[in-house]
Amino acid sequence: MGLVLAIIGAAASVILAGIGSILGVGMAGEAGAGVTGQKSEIFGKVLLLQALPATQGIYGFLGCFWVLLKVGLLAGNPLEVPTAIGWQILLSCLPVAIGGLISAIYQARVSVAGLHMITKDESTAGKGVIMAAMVETYAVLGLLATILLINGIKIG
């Protein structure tokens, strides 16, 4: 049962953070398509702002990877995981899973605002990227919390 709980935690990391990235990249992409339709020469700046919410999905994958490594699934020799430890691993995945889900959506909203900003003045692209990157900080903290929590769990 413990191994199943750990796998559920790993899956939640990928799925929830991935959903956030899907929604975020989609939102920014919709706005970016409109901006590029008006000013095709700033496509590179638009693409950067659209891509920023994709990183949360990568963080979710890293959280999953860390769990799989911890329970021995990557080596093909899964460990005997007690149920209580499985719950600990599952709960340890929540910072990156929930943080990734929420931060990707809000980062996309900031990216969309940045896209509106560069439509009016292309020289503000850097400011738009920095503002969107500030939201990313909390996804990174969620990933770090997940890694630290998983590292603190002893199996066996």
Side-chain angles (χ1 to χ4, degrees):
M1 181 66 177
L3 184 61
V4 171
L5 292 169
I7 291 170
I8 291 170
S13 293
V14 172
I15 293 169
L16 293 177
I19 288 171
S21 285
I22 290 166
L23 295 173
V25 171
M27 288 169 52
E30 289 173 9
V35 170
T36 305
Q38 293 175 353
K39 295 183 173 185
S40 63
E41 68 276 6
I42 61 170
F43 175 71
K45 295 172 183 172
V46 170
L47 184 62
L48 178 60
L49 282 165
Q50 181 192 3
L52 282 174
T55 55
Q56 283 83 350
I58 296 168
Y59 301 153
F61 174 78
L62 289 173
C64 173
F65 178 81
W66 220 259
V67 170
L68 297 179
L69 189 65
K70 183 75 174 184
V71 299
L73 284 174
L74 287 182
N77 294 321
L79 300 173
E80 188 81 23
V81 181
T83 302
I85 300 298
W87 278 111
Q88 290 175 14
I89 293 172
L90 189 152
L91 294 173
S92 296
C93 293
L94 294 182
V96 72
I98 295 172
L101 172 66
I102 294 171
S103 70
I105 294 167
Y106 279 92
Q107 188 173 43
R109 294 174 69 172
V110 175
S111 290
V112 168
L115 288 167
H116 290 287
M117 205 165 65
I118 65 171
T119 302
K120 294 176 184 167
D121 181 4
E122 292 176 35
S123 69
T124 61
K127 294 174 184 170
V129 170
I130 290 171
M131 286 184 225
M134 292 301 292
V135 181
E136 177 103 10
T137 302
Y138 299 96
V140 172
L141 291 175
L143 174 62
L144 292 175
T146 291
I147 290 171
L148 291 171
L149 289 166
I150 291 172
N151 278 345
I153 297 170
K154 295 193 187 310
I155 300 175

